[in-house]
Each structure stands twice: as structure tokens, then as C-alpha cells.
């Protein structure tokens, strides 16, 4: 049986678009510029790496804990807003602390507070999309657009005012996330939700553990690209501006995929999307392992829309089909932490010695991860009854 969603005016998507825009704009400032801010305050490369690694470890714990908490609340918007407020306070803390321990404390608090923001937003947005309020893909694409624009704007502001402006930008965007969360319509379900059974019950849901492994294999295959792609291309003689354009190209492809994702899902389904992601990963990383020729880089960057975007959409649809409403917050946060975060973190650590020993050959390992994902995607079994689509 397929649930046909009610039609809603497009204006119903605007609060969710604002939420994704604010959160991903914040990420667009944090990822490129917060490490450089820490360096401008006198932290060594080793101290920055330690702060980032410990922050990632905190996210693995804080995300699922917040997701579990959200599933016990009648209104998860409150937790989302609270976490955004704490993240804003943590970002402000960078302006008043001093020394490595002070900056480390601010970094850990920022990571703990921001870890649940995307999973909880996905939970709320998927619930609204399931009810037919909007198509999830274009709304999620708005977050990617906001990331690009924020990174560009932050770079311009840093060039004019220095890295001291970075904490101010992060704090402002976290407060904007708080406001956007409060503007969301109240969830339909009334009263606290109990009896979901905790982490163990969610992990035991049929097909859920398989999804964690599948997402982990495909998304962690990006570790070499995220961690050492720019370094590898710069060593090959490509300019910083060229590398920046290559990164932007990949995100643009991701936006296009999210915008058109509904049509892909309708044609090939979540299993087909996962296969597309895995197969594209084998192709993309194999090419990058053997060349840094600019036309090849331009061509492979478009595959980011499949290697990242297709698997993300597949995971969102599978979570919607596999997970009861009472466990969505827990499932989303477990997927983000264990399915994506843990394996990506482990592969990022492995890529250091891999790049030192093999250079671009590290991408062969990434291709191998995607090859392992292909039989896993083929073996996916989807429930046939009670399935709701993300939008009509």
C-alpha cells in the first residue's frame, strides 16, 4: 500500500528551507575557516588536529544521545532550538577563551551542541515531506546552496576583517537556526512518545544495521577527497582558485541531484540510488587514483552528485520506510554518527599514512569501499506495505 500525501501550497516549505539554510550556512563557515581561526590564535597544527579529532569523537556520542532525547519529546523543535542556542554560546566562547585548553573546551562544546542539528532537522523535514507538505530534495538542496554562499561570503569577510570575525559569523548563524526552528509548525503528534525501546531496539529494526554499513562504506569513501584531495591537487600544480572551483562544482552537482532526486527515486527507487552511488564511487575514485589531469578532475567532480547525493537520498528514503515514527530521531542520529561519522573518521585517520605512502593511490582504497557496497545495495529488501513517499 502506498500512502498518497495531501497537497500543500509551496509556502509550507519555507520554514524548513530557512532551517536548512541557516544550519548549512553555519557549516559553510565552520569547515573552511574555524581551523584557520584556531591557527590565527596561536594553536599549532598538532593542537588543531587534536581539537578537531576530539570534537569529532564528541559528536559520535552527543548526536545519538540528542536523537534519543528527541524521540521522548512531544515537540523536538525545542531540543533543536536549545542545541542551536548552546552552539551559539560555544561559538561566542572562542572570543573570550585563551590558550589551547580554552579553545579546546569551546570546540568540544560547539561540536556537542551542533552534532544533532542536521539529524534533527532531517527528522522534522522528512516527517513534513512524508505528509506531502513539500518535496524533500529541493528543500535539502537549499542547504547546499546556503553552504556555498556562506563559504564565499565568509571568505570575503575574512579577507576584509581577519579571522576574528569567524566566531561572530558562526554564533549569528546558530541564532538564525534557533529562530528558524521556532518558526517550524508544531509536529502533528501530541504528547511524549514512549516505548520506542532505545538504541538497541532501533539497531534491531530489519534492514537498519545493513543501511548503516552501506552508508558507512559509501560516505566514508569520501575521506581521501575531503582530507587530502586539495593537498594532492595542489602538489600536482593546480592553483588554489582552480581547486576552489573544483570543490564548488561538486556541491553544485549535489544541488542538482537533490533538486531532481524525486524523479530518480520514482524511476529506480532507494536500492537503485544506492547502487548508483556505489558504482559512481568505484568510477570516480579509480580515475582520481591515476590522474590529476584537470579535464579528468572536472569530469569526476560532477560524480559527487551521485557518490554523496544519491546515497544521502537513498538513506533518507530507507529511513522513512524502515523506521517507526517513534524512533526517527534516534535512527537519524545513529545513522549520522555510526553509519557516516564513525567510519568516515576512521578512514580519515587511515588516509594520512595512505597518502604519505601512496599519494593518489589512496583513492584505490576508496574505490574498494564502494565496490564492497555494491552487493550490500543489491541485497536491500524494502517493506512493501505502509510505505510513504517523501513527496508526490
Amino acid at each position: 500500500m502506498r500512502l498518497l500525501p495531501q497537497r500543500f501550497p509551496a509556502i509550507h516549505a519555507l520554514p524548513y528551507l530557512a532551517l536548512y539554510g541557516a544550519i548549512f550556512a553555519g557549516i559553510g563557515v565552520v569547515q573552511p575557516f574555524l581551523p584557520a581561526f584556531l591557527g590565527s590564535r596561536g594553536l599549532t597544527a598538532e593542537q588543531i588536529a587534536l581539537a578537531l579529532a576530539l570534537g569529532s569523537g564528541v559528536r559520535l556520542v552527543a548526536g545519538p544521545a540528542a536523537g534519543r532525547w528527541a524521540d521522548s519529546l512531544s515537540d523536538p523543535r525545542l531540543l533543536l532550538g536549545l542545541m542551536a542556542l548552546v552552539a551559539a554560546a560555544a561559538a561566542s566562547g572562542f572570543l573570550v577563551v585563551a590558550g589551547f585548553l580554552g579553545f579546546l573546551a569551546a570546540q568540544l562544546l560547539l561540536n556537542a551542541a551542533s552534532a544533532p542539528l542536521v539529524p534533527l532537522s532531517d527528522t522534522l523535514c522528512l516527517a513534513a515531506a512524508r505528509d506531502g507538505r513539500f518535496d524533500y530534495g529541493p528543500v535539502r538542496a537549499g542547504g547546499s546552496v546556503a553552504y556555498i554562499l556562506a563559504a564565499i561570503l565568509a571568505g570575503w569577510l575574512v579577507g576584509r576583517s581577519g579571522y576574528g570575525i569567524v566566531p561572530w559569523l558562526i554564533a549569528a548563524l546558530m541564532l538564525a537556526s534557533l529562530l528558524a526552528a521556532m518558526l517550524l509548525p508544531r509536529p502533528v503528534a501530541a504528547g511524549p512518545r514512549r516505548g520506542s525501546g532505545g538504541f538497541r531496539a532501533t539497531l534491531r529494526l530489519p534492514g537498519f544495521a545493513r543501511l548503516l554499513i552501506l552508508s558507512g562504506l559509501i560516505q566514508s569513501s569520501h575521506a581521501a577527497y575531503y582530507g587530502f584531495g586539495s593537498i594532492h591537487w595542489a602538489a600536482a600544480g593546480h592553483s588554489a582558485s582552480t581547486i576552489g572551483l573544483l570543490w564548488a562544482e561538486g556541491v553544485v552537482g549535489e544541488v542538482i541531484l537533490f533538486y531532481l532526486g524525486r524523479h530518480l527515486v520514482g524511476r529506480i527507487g532507494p536500492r537503485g540510488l544506492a547502487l548508483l552511488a556505489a558504482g559512481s564511487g568505484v568510477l570516480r575514485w579509480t580515475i582520481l587514483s591515476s590522474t590529476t589531469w584537470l579535464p579528468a578532475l572536472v569530469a569526476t567532480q560532477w560524480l559527487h552528485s551521485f557518490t554523496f547525493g544519491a546515497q544521502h537520498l537513498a538513506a533518507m528514503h530507507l529511513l522513512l520506510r524502515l523506521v517507526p515514527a517513534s524512533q526517527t530521531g534516534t535512527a537519524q542520529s545513529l545513522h549520522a554518527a555510526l553509519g557516516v561519522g564513525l567510519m568516515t573518521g576512521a578512514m580519515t585517520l587511515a588516509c594520512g599514512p595512505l597518502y604519505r605512502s601512496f599519494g593518489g593511490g589512496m583513492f584505490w582504497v576508496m574505490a574498494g569501499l564502494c565496490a564492497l557496497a555494491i552487493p550490500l545495495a543489491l541485497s536491500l529488501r524494502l517493506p512493501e506495505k505502509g510505505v510513504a513517499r517523501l513527496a508526490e
Side-chain angles (χ1 to χ4, degrees):
M1 179 179 67
R2 188 170 63 190
L3 303 180
L4 297 178
Q6 179 183 353
R7 294 289 186 178
F8 287 84
I11 195 172
H12 282 266
L14 292 181
Y16 300 90
L17 185 62
L19 178 64
Y20 272 134
I23 290 174
F24 279 92
I27 297 172
V29 176
V30 170
Q31 285 186 342
F33 298 108
L34 185 58
F37 165 80
L38 295 176
S40 73
R41 292 303 185 267
L43 272 67
T44 66
E46 291 77 10
Q47 289 172 332
I48 293 172
L50 179 59
L52 295 177
L54 291 176
S56 296
V58 166
R59 296 179 72 89
L60 294 177
V61 176
R68 182 77 187 97
W69 187 6
D71 280 338
S72 69
L73 299 175
S74 60
D75 191 351
R77 297 176 306 165
L78 301 177
L79 180 57
L80 180 59
L82 175 62
M83 292 296 98
L85 179 61
V86 174
S92 301
F94 284 111
L95 299 169
V96 297
V97 298
F100 171 66
L101 292 180
F103 285 114
L104 177 62
Q107 172 74 1
L108 295 181
L109 182 59
L110 177 62
N111 276 266
S114 61
L117 295 185
V118 173
L120 290 180
S121 298
D122 280 335
T123 297
L124 291 166
C125 289
L126 285 169
R130 178 178 52 202
D131 293 337
R133 294 177 182 273
F134 50 80
D135 180 7
Y136 170 81
V139 174
R140 175 58 181 80
S144 297
V145 172
Y147 179 100
I148 297 172
L149 296 179
I152 293 172
L153 177 61
W156 180 76
L157 291 172
V158 165
R160 289 179 60 87
S161 305
Y163 285 108
I165 199 171
V166 170
W168 290 103
L169 292 174
I170 298 171
L173 289 167
M174 291 301 99
L175 290 176
S177 302
L178 165 62
L179 177 60
M182 295 301 98
L183 291 176
L184 293 179
R186 184 180 178 86
V188 175
R193 297 180 289 180
R194 297 185 175 90
S196 61
F199 296 122
R200 182 175 298 180
T202 303
L203 290 169
R204 287 179 175 175
L205 289 171
F208 183 69
R210 186 183 299 269
L211 173 60
L212 294 186
I213 299 171
L214 179 64
S215 287
L217 288 170
I218 295 175
Q219 300 295 18
S220 70
S221 76
H222 295 78
Y225 167 60
Y226 292 149
F228 294 92
S230 295
I231 296 172
H232 181 53
W233 296 340
H238 297 298
S239 68
S241 59
T242 296
I243 293 171
L245 288 172
L246 287 169
W247 277 77
E249 179 195 345
V251 181
V252 169
E254 172 187 317
V255 170
I256 295 172
L257 186 283
F258 285 141
Y259 188 77
L260 300 176
R262 176 166 62 97
H263 304 288
L264 269 177
V265 173
R267 288 180 176 274
I268 64 177
R271 184 190 293 112
L273 282 172
L275 283 170
L276 178 62
S280 298
V282 172
L283 176 62
R284 183 185 186 188
W285 309 131
T286 298
I287 293 173
L288 290 185
S289 70
S290 58
T291 184
T292 55
W293 184 44
L294 185 58
L297 300 183
V298 172
T300 55
Q301 280 301 93
W302 286 116
L303 291 175
H304 188 74
S305 61
F306 297 141
T307 58
F308 171 79
Q311 178 55 31
H312 179 79
L313 277 184
M316 295 302 102
H317 280 268
L318 287 167
L319 287 169
L320 189 66
R321 298 184 181 205
L322 298 172
V323 179
S326 62
Q327 295 171 265
T328 52
T330 302
Q332 284 283 351
S333 57
L334 284 174
H335 178 264
L338 300 183
V340 178
L342 180 61
M343 289 189 67
T344 300
M347 288 310 304
T348 300
L349 288 175
C351 282
L354 283 173
Y355 181 65
R356 184 172 59 251
S357 300
F358 304 107
M362 66 180 170
F363 287 109
W364 280 113
V365 178
M366 307 299 109
L369 293 174
C370 291
L372 289 174
I374 291 176
L376 201 60
L378 284 170
S379 65
L380 284 174
R381 295 293 180 265
L382 306 180
E384 298 297 333
K385 296 182 178 181
V387 175
R389 294 190 295 180
L390 292 186
E392 202 32 59

